[in-house]
Amino acid sequence: MATNTTTKKTAAKKVNTGKTSSKKSPSVAEATNHPYNIHKSLLDHFGFDKFKGTQEQAINSLLSGKDTFVIMPTGGGKSLCYQLPALIMEGCAIIVSPLIALMKNQVDLVRGYSEKDHVAHFLNSSLTKAQQRDVKSDLIEGKTKLLYVAPETLTKQENLEFFSDLKISFFAVDEAHCISEWGHDFRPEYRRLKEMMSAINPEVAMIALTATATPKVQSDILKNLGLRNPTIFISSFNRENLYYEIQPKIKKDQTIKNIVRFISQNPGKSGIIYTLNRKTTEELAEILVANKIKAVAYHAGLDAKLRAERQDKFLKEDTQVIVATIAFGMGIDKPDIRFVIHYNIPKSIENYYQETGRAGRDGLEGKCILYYSHKDVSKLEHLMRDKPLSEREVGAQLINETVSFAESSVCRRKILLHYFGEDWDTNKCAATGGCDNCNPTAQIEAKENVVNVLKVVKSLEQRFTIDYAVNVIMGRLTPQIQMYRHNSLPLFGIGKNEDAHYWNSLIRQMLLSNLLVKDIEEYGLLKFTPGSDLFLKKPTSFLITLNNKFEDANAEDDEEADAPVANVGAAADEKLFDMLKELRQKEAKKKGLPPFVLFLENSLQDMATMYPTTLKELEKCQGVSVGKAIKYGKPFVELIAKYVEENDIEKPDDFVMKSVANKSSNKIFIIQNVDKKIPLETIAKNKDLRIDALLEEMETIVASGTKLNLGYAIDDMLDEDEQEEIIDYFRSCETSSLDVAQEELADGGYEWEQLKIMRIKFLSEYGN
Ligand code: ADP
Ligand code: MG
């Protein structure tokens, strides 16, 4: 884990409260004004011989009675900053922590450092009255050194009075970002903490700790907790061992295929895939399993026992990949997670940072890949529609930041760290974990246009957003612009010759270089910085790279749709496809069977895409069962082998994804329901399929060798004579096209479904 301990000057300046002091851990203890030997305590209680990062300084500050603010990335070792002082100081420390579920865990951990269980307790609504009495009696007797409470516990009047009579060593507020609505995990109850703590004991020191604090969140914490001239310790947020990459999510199938391929190429490496909704977790996990990857889904809809079980399996490595909604990961400490994939865009950069932060906690490789599409952004926005207006505004801005992160062509690290108030020298990115944008990209000189942007922002009196400024620059006559009469500004339309993409890229990069700031508290208005005036006075070279274009990357197929994932990937080789069709025709004739009984059209498509040259490989094509491959496959793979050889074809992709269509629960469901003679409409409805999709599924089932007794359904649709006529046709037909069948049998006036189901019956009876 990268626990760099450099002071972040920018952040400190913005926070502007108290001083910052945090240099590399000194080898000799600094002069301290407290009597404790903390190195000895570290060894005695925790068994560690060295402090990590800023722990030592933070502990010294707290022990000296000063309010202390610790910002340290996840896994940095924040708990020790209050646990150690609590164990050695007189009295009991009160620790506020938002997650009741994790409190027991934390208490158990602390108990592990002591001989006596009563050294740590928690007090929250999950305890019975009797249990609460026991805890309180230990507190009165002074046996307890750490008391974990939920914020609600503090606000209860009876507790307030009780705590006021206790000897308190200090207050700790863990996950302090919960106090800010700009944090990703806002808890309104945190807002009353200061009041409660002052009521209990205004004298003792307070320590606040958090892992995610943008400058805005930092100042909220300082203000709302009323920290008194605190010492602030900020560790760098840079995670040197993580590699960041954003990929366009163009088609669902292709994206899933990429993911399966990535995981298959990383056997045995643990990873998390984050998705937006429960259904997608299940769907993806199922596909991974079909591809022999040990994967499970995890989401809040599963009962607690199953969730605990799955989490446990993941921790114990019985499961390689967990496909989860954001319900997963809070407080989990698995050091060797090698990749985190975002299948959907997260709703804020904080979330992204937290979630990707779970990779590589042991300091070794960690890959973070995000699949990005505009459509997912709309989905996120849609999810907020029922929230109160103020929350929606905050949410929209957080999403907006994530979008510009995704689309930017600037070093990912630079943007992430800028977001957390840190400067980053782009040249260092490639030397550490790297990111997809730190490959050389074309840069454009934008000096003059920077001046133009600054002039526009100035003439808009720093009272408008990026979008508005872009509209003015481009001379777009929006109703708002008309209302403010900004179309009469001399600068209106000054940047007509560039598109909005260009201006957005430029302004984003000006923000990153502190040539402008966005005031998030004021709806993201663009404001000047000292750098802005300086630049206007003396413009200098300003090179930019244009944002990545994702416009065409809209996921065109709806991921909610239940379409089976099949026929994934590159287009078929048409020449080969025709040759295969011809061969099928020939072989079918020899055997006196209609061609489609040998292989379905989409099996041939797959062959012409993946070039299988052995029977084993052939089985990987859709609709090709083991039996079918053995029975009919030989001439086909021989033809393909020859073709590959003669045309010097490098197989495009040795990797072949098994679509869930071969094994999915849908299939099993269909087979079982047909056995029970359930009407097809009912089956389709229960699986949320259209009838034609159901029939397609059935055809793949029988094509790969499973019999389906559809007689009961067919008898409802066609009488005996009709059935016979259709079967006769299939016996002699030379094409598998149902359109042709419909024409040839025009007199019967058959529906597509009728012909289709008969063909399935035919395949089922004669096909294998
Ligand atoms: P955070 O709350 O900052 O996410 P934790 O307090 O849970 O992190 O600590 C993360 C891990 O680091 C824990 O496993 C903890 O035991 C370990 N740790 C903390 N301090 C030290 C130290 N000084 N030396 C070695 N390991 C430490
Ligand atoms: Mg913690």
Side-chain angles (χ1 to χ4, degrees):
M1 144 105 264
T3 39
N4 253 343
T5 55
T6 49
T7 311
K8 292 192 298 180
K9 294 196 189 67
T10 40
K13 249 183 266 153
K14 274 177 203 155
V15 168
N16 205 15
T17 317
K19 61 172 194 219
T20 37
S21 76
S22 94
K23 287 272 169 289
K24 289 249 183 258
S25 306
S27 45
V28 190
E30 289 172 338
T32 53
N33 43 356
H34 64 71
Y36 305 98
N37 182 345
I38 61 174
H39 282 272
K40 184 167 182 310
S41 310
L42 179 68
L43 196 62
D44 289 352
H45 291 288
F46 298 89
F48 300 140
D49 49 11
K50 280 201 300 291
F51 286 104
K52 285 211 293 190
T54 56
Q55 281 177 334
E56 179 171 7
Q57 294 97 312
I59 290 170
N60 278 332
S61 159
L62 182 61
L63 287 173
S64 320
K66 282 186 63 71
D67 280 0
T68 305
F69 185 16
V70 177
I71 303 168
M72 208 185 255
T74 308
K78 285 184 288 301
S79 327
L80 197 121
C81 297
Y82 58 81
Q83 285 168 348
L84 188 146
L87 290 172
I88 60 181
M89 281 171 83
E90 204 189 323
C92 175
I94 294 188
I95 297 126
V96 183
S97 168
L99 286 171
I100 292 187
L102 291 180
M103 251 180 230
K104 166 128 188 15
N105 222 319
Q106 286 169 328
V107 165
D108 286 343
L109 275 174
V110 180
R111 285 177 180 165
Y113 304 133
S114 166
E115 286 131 53
K116 307 262 166 46
D117 273 0
H118 54 227
V119 68
H121 279 301
F122 63 89
L123 204 52
N124 62 35
S125 53
S126 73
L127 294 185
T128 63
K129 277 267 174 301
Q131 286 170 322
Q132 293 190 20
R133 267 199 305 278
D134 288 347
V135 171
K136 287 187 175 172
S137 116
D138 279 350
L139 283 165
I140 292 167
E141 288 173 42
K143 291 176 176 168
T144 301
K145 307 301 291 175
L146 291 97
L147 180 71
Y148 286 85
V149 298
E152 302 78 49
T153 314
L154 276 193
T155 47
K156 282 213 185 93
Q157 190 58 36
E158 47 167 303
N159 286 338
L160 272 185
E161 282 160 20
F162 176 79
F163 290 141
S164 305
D165 294 337
L166 287 181
K167 166 89 188 144
I168 307 284
S169 50
F170 61 88
F171 291 106
V173 180
D174 205 358
E175 316 286 351
H177 58 271
C178 292
I179 209 163
S180 167
E181 55 186 299
W182 295 98
H184 66 297
D185 201 18
F186 174 52
R187 307 289 174 98
E189 320 86 69
Y190 262 60
R191 287 281 169 87
R192 296 192 59 204
L193 287 179
K194 172 68 191 168
E195 190 191 331
M196 300 305 137
M197 293 179 190
S198 303
I200 294 169
N201 188 339
E203 309 282 306
V204 299
M206 195 190 305
I207 179 169
L209 310 103
T210 179
T212 41
T214 61
K216 166 71 184 141
V217 175
Q218 287 171 26
S219 70
D220 277 359
I221 293 173
L222 290 168
K223 195 170 69 199
N224 296 338
L225 282 179
L227 295 179
R228 295 146 295 189
N229 189 25
T231 333
I232 308 173
F233 300 95
I234 306 177
S235 310
S236 171
F237 275 64
N238 182 28
R239 295 286 314 273
E240 327 199 300
N241 54 323
L242 299 190
Y243 167 80
Y244 302 101
E245 176 175 330
I246 317 273
Q247 296 217 6
K249 183 171 170 186
I250 299 170
K251 289 192 94 162
K252 179 188 178 187
D253 287 357
Q254 193 57 48
T255 305
I256 295 179
K257 184 174 177 181
N258 286 343
I259 292 174
V260 174
R261 184 210 321 260
F262 174 81
I263 300 172
S264 305
Q265 286 168 348
N266 286 282
K269 293 187 181 172
S270 290
I272 310 176
I273 303 177
Y274 281 109
T275 75
L276 200 56
N277 61 43
R278 299 171 183 187
K279 200 174 140 213
T280 316
T281 64
E282 307 260 0
E283 203 186 45
L284 273 178
E286 198 182 359
I287 295 173
L288 295 185
V289 170
N291 285 279
K292 303 213 159 48
I293 295 164
K294 288 184 186 156
V296 292
Y298 185 104
H299 54 75
L302 302 170
D303 76 64
K305 193 163 151 269
L306 196 57
R307 266 191 327 218
E309 225 173 80
R310 291 189 173 177
Q311 172 163 333
D312 204 45
K313 274 185 142 176
F314 181 61
L315 294 177
K316 293 198 185 117
E317 321 251 296
D318 293 335
T319 296
Q320 187 193 349
V321 179
I322 200 145
V323 189
T325 57
I326 54 169
F328 179 77
M330 257 290 215
I332 95 144
D333 189 5
K334 182 167 165 55
D336 58 350
I337 293 173
R338 296 275 79 94
F339 60 89
V340 170
I341 294 174
H342 280 90
Y343 184 73
N344 304 98
I345 187 171
K347 59 177 189 275
S348 70
I349 290 191
E350 276 96 338
N351 276 297
Y352 176 76
Y353 181 81
Q354 279 281 329
E355 286 151 20
T356 53
R358 290 174 187 137
R361 290 175 88 165
D362 53 8
L364 302 176
E365 172 201 57
K367 285 215 161 97
C368 313
I369 303 170
L370 179 145
Y371 285 93
Y372 171 69
S373 76
H374 289 168
K375 192 165 174 189
D376 285 349
V377 176
S378 318
K379 269 189 210 162
L380 270 185
E381 284 163 349
H382 190 67
L383 284 178
M384 293 195 305
R385 69 195 180 282
D386 298 327
K387 299 259 167 76
L389 185 65
S390 64
E391 228 175 286
R392 251 180 9 231
E393 267 168 11
V394 172
Q397 281 209 55
L398 293 175
I399 295 174
N400 205 283
E401 291 300 317
T402 326
V403 166
S404 59
F405 167 70
E407 296 192 352
S408 175
S409 61
V410 173
C411 171
R412 307 280 178 208
R413 249 191 189 77
K414 185 169 179 73
I415 306 177
L416 283 177
L417 294 178
H418 179 84
Y419 190 77
F420 293 111
E422 230 176 299
D423 284 331
W424 174 256
D425 172 7
T426 312
N427 293 324
K428 278 166 41 195
C429 183
T432 60
C435 74
D436 55 348
N437 280 344
C438 275
N439 306 320
T441 17
Q443 292 198 309
I444 313 170
E445 177 59 70
K447 179 166 139 186
E448 275 168 34
N449 282 331
V450 171
V451 172
N452 285 334
V453 169
L454 290 173
K455 283 183 178 162
V456 166
V457 172
K458 196 168 194 169
S459 56
L460 295 176
E461 290 163 22
Q462 310 182 37
R463 282 171 45 220
F464 293 87
T465 60
I466 296 186
D467 289 347
Y468 192 90
V470 169
N471 284 337
V472 171
I473 293 170
M474 294 186 58
R476 287 176 173 158
L477 207 55
T478 66
Q480 228 191 345
I481 287 178
Q482 267 174 324
M483 192 174 83
Y484 286 107
R485 306 232 163 94
H486 283 144
N487 47 334
S488 61
L489 289 174
L491 293 164
F492 183 71
I494 190 163
K496 264 198 208 110
N497 46 349
E498 303 283 359
D499 60 6
H501 182 71
Y502 171 90
W503 292 109
N504 277 306
S505 306
L506 173 59
I507 295 177
R508 285 285 166 188
Q509 285 166 69
M510 289 172 68
L511 292 173
L512 286 172
S513 305
N514 296 319
L515 282 179
L516 282 174
V517 282
K518 215 167 88 167
D519 188 338
I520 55 169
E521 244 168 314
E522 276 202 74
Y523 313 103
L525 303 188
L526 283 179
K527 300 253 161 101
F528 263 38
T529 67
S532 321
D533 290 313
L534 222 65
F535 198 98
L536 278 179
K537 266 189 219 128
K538 196 168 176 285
T540 49
S541 166
F542 193 80
L543 296 173
I544 62 162
T545 45
L546 289 185
N547 284 354
N548 298 317
K549 277 211 166 152
F550 285 91
E551 270 84 351
D552 306 321
N554 268 320
E556 35 182 82
D557 40 358
D558 191 347
E559 92 182 34
E560 311 303 331
D562 218 344
V565 181
N567 209 2
V568 201
D573 180 329
E574 281 187 31
K575 191 164 154 228
L576 177 61
F577 180 65
D578 290 341
M579 289 165 68
L580 289 168
K581 259 174 101 166
E582 216 171 283
L583 177 66
R584 178 178 71 165
Q585 194 82 5
K586 215 174 76 199
E587 290 291 314
K589 263 224 169 80
K590 260 201 253 170
K591 297 196 155 62
L593 289 167
F596 62 84
V597 170
L598 272 67
F599 293 114
L600 289 174
E601 206 98 346
N602 43 12
S603 306
L604 297 186
Q605 287 272 357
D606 271 9
M607 292 180 211
T609 310
M610 306 189 297
Y611 304 100
T613 50
T614 64
L615 294 184
K616 264 266 144 311
E617 285 174 3
L618 186 66
E619 282 167 29
K620 294 191 172 146
C621 297
Q622 298 182 66
V624 181
S625 60
V626 182
K628 201 164 224 175
I630 294 171
K631 217 185 306 178
Y632 307 121
K634 198 155 170 278
F636 288 82
V637 291
E638 282 171 2
L639 174 86
I640 296 168
K642 192 155 158 259
Y643 181 85
V644 165
E645 167 99 51
E646 279 171 6
N647 294 286
D648 219 4
I649 286 172
E650 232 179 90
K651 288 208 210 177
D653 200 349
D654 276 341
F655 162 77
V656 177
M657 185 175 91
K658 273 270 187 209
S659 68
V660 147
N662 295 334
K663 290 200 178 163
S664 79
S665 57
N666 262 5
K667 294 250 142 60
I668 295 163
F669 182 87
I670 293 169
I671 296 166
Q672 287 170 342
N673 278 269
V674 169
D675 275 349
K676 290 187 217 148
K677 299 197 178 6
I678 306 292
L680 300 194
E681 289 74 22
T682 316
I683 303 179
K685 209 166 139 228
N686 285 337
K687 273 288 153 187
D688 238 358
L689 290 171
R690 287 206 316 255
I691 274 289
D692 53 339
L694 175 67
L695 291 173
E696 289 294 352
E697 286 262 7
M698 289 179 159
E699 190 162 74
T700 340
I701 294 174
V702 299
S704 45
T706 304
K707 290 218 181 312
L708 282 180
N709 296 318
L710 285 166
Y712 73 99
I714 293 175
D715 291 343
D716 281 349
M717 292 178 170
L718 298 158
D719 66 30
E720 236 171 87
D721 291 345
E722 289 171 325
Q723 291 184 28
E724 209 161 300
E725 183 186 22
I726 300 173
I727 289 285
D728 277 349
Y729 166 78
F730 281 140
R731 274 214 180 87
S732 58
C733 75
E734 294 199 340
T735 154
S736 54
S737 158
L738 281 185
D739 290 342
V740 175
Q742 221 164 358
E743 264 168 44
E744 302 253 327
L745 295 166
D747 290 346
Y750 299 114
E751 305 278 338
W752 181 88
E753 280 85 8
Q754 294 175 321
L755 293 176
K756 181 88 174 175
I757 196 168
M758 284 307 295
R759 192 166 84 176
I760 297 171
K761 179 184 156 105
F762 188 87
L763 267 174
S764 183
E765 283 173 18
Y766 308 101
N768 284 286

